[in-house]
Amino acid sequence: MSEHRRKPPQPQGGGRAADRRGQSGPTSGRRAAPRGATTGSPTDSYGSNPADSGGDDRQYGSRAEARRAAQRGGGRRRGAEPAGCGPGGPNGPGRGRGRGPAPGKKRFIDYPRFDKYGWRRWVPSWRLVSSLCLLFFGSIVAAVGVGYAMVSIPSENTAAKSQNNVYYWSNGDQMVATGTGANRQNITIADIPKAMQWSVISAENKSFYTDSGVDPMGIARALVNMARGGETQGGSTITQQFVKNTYLSQEQTVTRKFKEMFISIKVGTQLSKEQVLQGYLNTSYYGRGAYGIQAAAQTYYGVDAVKLTPSQCAFLAALLKGPTYYDPIGATNIDSAATASANRKRSEARWSWILEQMHNDKRITDAEYQEAIKKYPQPQGLKATKGMTGQISYLVDTAKKYVLSHSNISQTEFDKGGFQIYTTFEKAKVNELSAAVKKVQKDRIDPKKRSLDKYVQFGAASVRPKDGAIVALYGGDGYENGHFTNNADTSGVPVGSTWKPFVLAAAMEYGTYKTDGVGISPLSKYNGDDHLKVRNQDGSYVLNKDNSIFYQNNESKYPWGYITLRKAMEQSINTPYVQLGMDVGMTKVKAVAQSAGILNGSMTKDLNASFAIGTSTPSAIRMADAYATFAASGKQADPYSVTSVKQGGQPVAGFNKPAVKQAMPENVANNVTDTLENVIQNGTAKNAKALGRTAAGKTGTTDSNKSAWFVGYTQQLSTSIAMFRENPKDAELLSMNGTAGVPSIHGGDIPTSIWTEYMEAALKGDSDPGFPDATKIDKVQNEDGVPSPTPTPVVTPSETPSETPSETPSETPSSTPSATESCRFSWQCSGNGGTDGGATSTPTDTATATESSGTTNGNGNGGIFGGATG
């Protein structure tokens, strides 16, 4: 150390510090200890003696130097004594504060580093890093080995042991057990055509015969997707898909993915490629309840698998992409996008692509390719399976749709079986509804006698008010008779004048643009004459698309004049309700219908003038449910068909009873009910009087007589009946003019007769509680142009109009209804003078939504759960 940096010795007295302490004098109350004295403090150990220091050494080391010295020497231990500072030393006893092992000794895991100091102590050695890597990879190898040893190779025979789905009636009795067991049969690779084998390989896994059976990148992508919360990807090799097919549970978890990987590795090492391919084709799902290639060949083409042509093989291979979207019959009961036309387009595109891939891969010759691609191999239609006959097939269809839309169960998982489905269907009422349809159909419809009776169909549903439970439905003639569309839960059939109660309800709840939100009375008067111009709220006329003036027509040309809305509902006159809808606002009419239970997707998008008279196409189930809202004084519950689902004895979540809500004011609903009671007592639905109990309802017939409806209810049941003709080739509605040997079919005719027949049987033995009384709605808001009241002579009941509007004398009453017949309460009869009270009662319930109006017959999606188009 250089002399100029050496600190000069301090005076014995302690230097400046001692001087400062001395200056304090005796008044300080204590005497300062001389520096170097043995005080027992930590600083004492750093005292110095000139004799020991050798003269030139520093008398006092700094703390930083002491720490560095301790690090170089392995650290200080408690009790360690620096030189010259132990017992007997000149400085007296001292106390060391050393840490860490004694110099010369390493720990087993040298971290922090033994012979390093500063930041280098924290840098691990290469030995430590390599040891940890070996330990990590060794653990992975051990885990893989354990996993590999614990899993077993799947068996296609085990996978074939699928379970049935069992459906139960509302009382717990078994309805039907249906599953894939009877539609599944394993065959050997020798019975599977080479074209089928190569079509799958060319489409899904070209490297099948050379790969290991596992796609690590595919598994990694699936794991990343799961970590992100997204959808996982399916097995990317045929081996992985075969493994996946053998699991009844389709859960997607990290554990299951790793297990699938282990099994795939084991399968790849212990089974031949032919065995893997055979297992895959025997366990894959091809749609229509068909598992395995043999069942698929029988289901789609009615032949054994060995007889399939290359073209048919390519079609079946395309189904493996997803039968919901590639079966040309469509699956709109599952997804509205899976229409027959869309599915056919997707199927044909993939079919031709698969054939092209087979040709490119040299798996079929040029001649075979040209023959196969020549014509799309259209499969055969659906077939009824064991137990799925009569109405059972439609009940199962409705319940299955409800299960899939209210749970996380996939269609593939559901079709593999093992579920118990408890429904709301009451066996007695289902049989009674079917019997009512068959009885009237037998009495009135004879396709062998009249060509216009061909293709007549019916759809019906019965719902409990205040609950929403579907107790019965009629879907058609049955799968066994080739009718696979559920008419109770389909759309495409306009409801006609059965829509008018929603217009009246909107007027009573919201009023018109003239009343500032005050609801109007059903005794408000509107012009009921035929062929009238319709006005917008600004006073301008409604125009057609070509800007010509739109005229609304009635079924007859009878000059009704200004009549009450109550009378217009009774006789189902169009012109008053079209103008009322415009005055209220069609958006409000739509809102009321939707709150009552009609699905938004089933209502026509164009809210033009004809929207008020039923151009929308709800299902029979939804119409019954919406009218149940009137029966329940405005309380609405969504329709449901399943009360609970179990799997392996454990309940599946998602099947709580729908909540009941107040959809419209109680008195509005009660006034609608009172108005619809009058339709049965004195109007177009007089055939329903044969029920012999308090009931309300509305008839409906559409333009060109393409459909006829009756929807009616008591407090216990709400039931809808739809009748229509449909060309089976293109699902186009046909006119019913001339059907049943009459000029035209009205809702008050055959549909009302079926309704009455069923309700009489279904309500047998039940009480007749009637309906709550309706409170008068005071606000009368007449249409512009209603003449002021003037004294007029009293019209006697025998007086009738000079012209009768009826074209169907069987529906025309023999006499004019008296005031007491038309009104339950005196306030309902006020103002019913002239033609309103004295005209001959005539049914005119046709919704004439003509082409000139710019409307359509409605092609919305009107199923109970967004179901299929009809």
Side-chain angles (χ1 to χ4, degrees):
M1 182 179 292
S2 62
E3 290 296 327
H4 74 275
R5 295 184 63 187
R6 187 176 297 130
K7 189 176 181 179
Q10 296 295 319
Q12 289 289 334
R16 295 177 184 177
D19 292 343
R20 286 194 299 271
R21 288 192 294 271
Q23 290 172 5
S24 62
T27 59
S28 64
R30 66 179 182 179
R31 182 183 175 185
R35 188 160 187 160
T38 305
T39 64
S41 68
T43 57
D44 293 341
S45 62
Y46 294 99
S48 173
N49 189 313
D52 297 333
S53 65
D56 291 335
D57 293 340
R58 293 177 61 187
Q59 296 183 13
Y60 303 99
S62 70
R63 295 183 179 181
E65 289 180 348
R67 284 195 296 271
R68 287 194 292 270
Q71 291 174 357
R72 289 192 296 270
R76 298 195 310 272
R77 296 176 290 108
R78 182 171 293 280
E81 300 168 354
C85 298
N91 294 323
R95 295 186 300 168
R97 295 188 300 162
R99 295 182 180 87
K105 293 183 180 179
K106 283 188 178 182
R107 291 164 292 181
F108 179 73
I109 299 177
D110 185 23
Y111 193 80
R113 303 283 295 279
F114 164 77
D115 54 352
K116 305 294 180 183
Y117 61 90
W119 62 268
R120 293 181 178 84
R121 297 186 69 210
W122 306 100
V123 178
S125 67
W126 68 269
R127 293 185 182 88
L128 180 60
V129 172
S130 60
S131 297
L132 290 175
C133 289
L134 288 174
L135 179 63
F136 175 73
F137 287 110
S139 299
I140 291 178
V141 171
V144 170
V146 171
Y148 184 86
M150 290 182 64
V151 298
S152 59
I153 294 178
S155 169
E156 60 197 88
N157 294 318
T158 301
K161 295 177 182 177
S162 58
Q163 304 175 64
N164 285 329
N165 287 326
V166 183
Y167 295 81
Y168 298 89
W169 295 104
S170 61
N171 63 359
D173 292 343
Q174 182 173 317
M175 178 196 305
V176 67
T178 178
T180 60
N183 196 21
R184 189 171 195 165
Q185 179 184 351
N186 290 338
I187 57 177
T188 65
I189 193 72
D191 292 323
I192 301 175
K194 285 290 185 180
M196 188 67 214
Q197 299 176 39
W198 288 118
S199 64
V200 171
I201 292 172
S202 294
E204 300 186 26
N205 188 188
K206 289 180 181 292
S207 62
F208 171 69
Y209 276 105
T210 58
D211 63 36
S212 63
V214 177
D215 178 10
M217 293 304 296
I219 293 176
R221 285 193 301 269
L223 293 176
V224 170
N225 278 349
M226 281 189 281
R228 292 175 176 175
E231 294 184 0
T232 59
Q233 298 169 338
S236 55
T237 70
I238 286 177
T239 304
Q240 287 175 258
Q241 293 181 59
F242 167 47
V243 170
K244 184 178 179 181
N245 287 346
T246 61
Y247 284 88
L248 292 179
S249 171
Q250 296 298 308
E251 63 179 347
Q252 295 289 355
T253 62
V254 173
T255 302
R256 186 187 179 284
K257 266 296 175 191
F258 275 112
K259 191 173 183 180
E260 178 184 307
M261 179 183 68
F262 293 145
I263 297 175
S264 299
I265 295 172
K266 202 165 190 176
V267 166
T269 58
Q270 297 191 16
L271 294 183
S272 68
K273 290 293 185 178
E274 287 74 16
Q275 288 174 312
V276 173
L277 185 58
Q278 172 185 301
Y280 173 61
L281 292 172
N282 275 332
T283 58
S284 293
Y285 183 59
Y286 295 82
R288 301 192 191 182
Y291 277 87
I293 185 60
Q294 174 65 13
Q298 287 289 347
T299 298
Y300 287 92
Y301 294 108
V303 299
D304 290 333
V306 72
K307 296 181 180 180
L308 290 169
T309 67
S311 183
Q312 292 169 339
C313 289
F315 168 84
L316 295 177
L319 289 174
L320 297 176
K321 184 77 171 176
T324 297
Y325 303 100
Y326 289 85
D327 185 347
I329 65 168
T332 46
N333 61 331
I334 298 172
D335 189 337
S336 59
T339 62
S341 59
N343 280 17
R344 168 64 186 260
K345 186 176 181 179
R346 280 188 287 261
S347 173
E348 193 163 352
R350 186 161 179 81
W351 161 78
S352 62
W353 177 82
I354 291 174
L355 287 174
E356 181 182 8
Q357 294 302 305
M358 293 172 66
H359 183 238
N360 293 342
D361 295 340
K362 308 298 184 183
R363 302 308 179 188
I364 54 175
T365 65
D366 292 345
E368 288 173 331
Y369 173 70
Q370 293 301 328
E371 179 64 26
I373 202 71
K374 186 183 300 182
K375 183 180 179 182
Y376 177 75
Q378 180 69 32
Q380 63 188 12
L382 291 170
K383 292 182 178 179
T385 57
K386 184 179 179 181
M388 297 285 284
T389 57
Q391 296 307 302
I392 298 297
S393 51
Y394 307 116
L395 300 177
V396 168
D397 173 78
T398 303
K400 176 182 177 180
K401 188 189 303 183
Y402 191 89
V403 170
L404 295 180
S405 65
H406 286 77
S407 69
N408 293 323
I409 303 170
S410 68
Q411 183 186 4
T412 301
E413 184 179 4
F414 186 82
D415 286 345
K416 285 189 174 181
F419 295 93
Q420 298 83 49
I421 302 97
Y422 296 85
T423 74
T424 60
F425 305 127
E426 298 180 21
K427 184 176 182 179
K429 288 182 172 57
V430 170
N431 292 338
E432 288 159 353
L433 182 55
S434 179
V437 173
K438 296 300 182 185
K439 181 179 183 300
V440 177
Q441 189 176 29
K442 182 180 178 181
D443 292 342
R444 302 290 304 275
I445 306 298
D446 189 353
K448 296 179 180 179
K449 184 178 179 180
R450 290 178 295 269
S451 62
L452 292 174
D453 286 6
K454 290 181 179 179
Y455 312 137
V456 171
Q457 298 184 34
F458 296 93
S462 194
V463 173
R464 288 201 181 279
K466 299 182 183 178
D467 183 270
I470 306 170
V471 298
L473 57 80
Y474 181 86
D477 291 335
Y479 282 16
E480 70 275 19
N481 293 314
H483 187 86
F484 296 97
T485 301
N486 185 356
N487 290 345
D489 192 20
T490 188
S491 67
V493 183
V495 295
S497 291
T498 56
W499 196 258
K500 290 173 183 173
F502 302 127
V503 183
L504 180 62
M508 290 192 290
E509 182 173 357
Y510 297 108
T512 68
Y513 71 97
K514 301 176 184 178
T515 63
D516 294 326
V518 178
I520 68 172
S521 169
L523 296 182
S524 302
K525 291 186 176 182
Y526 273 72
N527 194 342
D529 288 344
D530 180 50
H531 199 66
L532 295 180
K533 299 176 183 177
V534 180
R535 291 184 181 273
N536 294 303
Q537 292 186 3
D538 61 4
S540 63
Y541 290 118
V542 173
L543 303 178
N544 294 312
K545 290 182 178 180
D546 61 359
N547 289 327
S548 61
I549 294 178
F550 167 71
Y551 288 87
Q552 179 59 54
N553 299 317
N554 295 325
E555 184 181 19
S556 77
K557 297 180 179 180
Y558 181 76
W560 290 99
Y562 287 93
I563 56 175
T564 65
L565 297 173
R566 177 183 175 84
K567 185 70 176 180
M569 185 75 76
E570 172 193 299
Q571 298 301 317
S572 200
I573 305 170
N574 293 332
T575 48
Y577 276 92
V578 170
Q579 187 60 62
L580 177 66
M582 297 300 295
D583 291 352
V584 172
M586 295 301 180
T587 55
K588 291 186 174 66
V589 174
K590 179 180 179 180
V592 167
Q594 191 168 351
S595 66
I598 302 297
L599 291 177
N600 179 60
S602 68
M603 290 187 266
T604 48
K605 303 296 184 289
D606 189 359
L607 302 183
N608 58 21
S610 295
F611 179 76
I613 51 176
T615 55
S616 296
T617 60
S619 68
I621 291 175
R622 283 288 173 174
M623 284 299 289
D625 182 69
Y627 271 51
T629 303
F630 299 138
S633 296
K635 293 181 175 64
Q636 191 271 338
D638 287 337
Y640 67 102
S641 58
V642 175
T643 57
S644 66
V645 175
K646 293 182 179 179
Q647 184 182 28
Q650 298 300 315
V652 177
F655 298 98
N656 295 328
K657 184 184 294 188
V660 178
K661 61 180 181 292
Q662 192 72 37
M664 64 183 68
E666 181 177 327
N667 195 48
V668 167
N670 290 342
N671 270 276
V672 171
T673 293
D674 180 78
T675 303
L676 298 187
E677 280 187 83
N678 185 55
V679 173
I680 290 179
Q681 292 300 313
N682 304 295
T684 58
K686 286 195 299 180
N687 283 341
K689 290 174 67 175
L691 179 61
R693 62 171 65 226
T694 307
K698 182 70 186 76
T699 58
T701 309
T702 56
D703 185 36
S704 300
N705 203 209
K706 291 182 177 179
S707 63
W709 287 74
F710 180 67
V711 189
Y713 55 92
T714 65
Q715 275 212 43
Q716 298 100 323
L717 283 179
S718 176
T719 303
S720 63
I721 309 292
M723 177 182 177
F724 56 96
R725 288 182 71 216
E726 184 178 69
N727 188 330
K729 294 182 179 180
D730 55 15
E732 181 183 357
L733 293 180
L734 304 173
S735 174
M736 290 189 291
N737 289 334
T739 297
V742 296
S744 61
I745 298 293
H746 293 82
D749 187 10
I750 292 178
T752 302
S753 298
I754 293 174
W755 182 90
T756 306
E757 189 82 21
Y758 162 68
M759 293 290 278
E760 186 176 3
L763 297 173
K764 187 175 182 179
D766 290 354
S767 61
D768 182 7
F771 295 111
D773 288 341
T775 303
K776 178 181 179 180
I777 296 176
D778 293 321
K779 180 67 175 179
V780 173
Q781 180 63 56
N782 296 325
E783 181 186 6
D784 291 342
V786 175
S788 301
T790 55
T792 57
V794 176
V795 180
T796 61
S798 60
E799 198 170 335
T800 58
S802 59
E803 180 185 353
T804 175
S806 176
E807 296 181 9
T808 54
S810 61
E811 294 190 15
T812 304
S814 58
S815 63
T816 302
S818 66
T820 56
E821 291 174 330
S822 298
C823 314
R824 286 180 62 195
F825 307 103
S826 59
W827 61 266
Q828 294 169 339
C829 303
S830 60
N832 276 350
T835 57
D836 185 16
T840 301
S841 179
T842 306
T844 54
D845 60 348
T846 298
T848 51
T850 61
E851 288 296 325
S852 62
S853 69
T855 66
T856 67
N857 282 336
N859 55 2
N861 188 0
I864 177 176
F865 317 114
T869 56

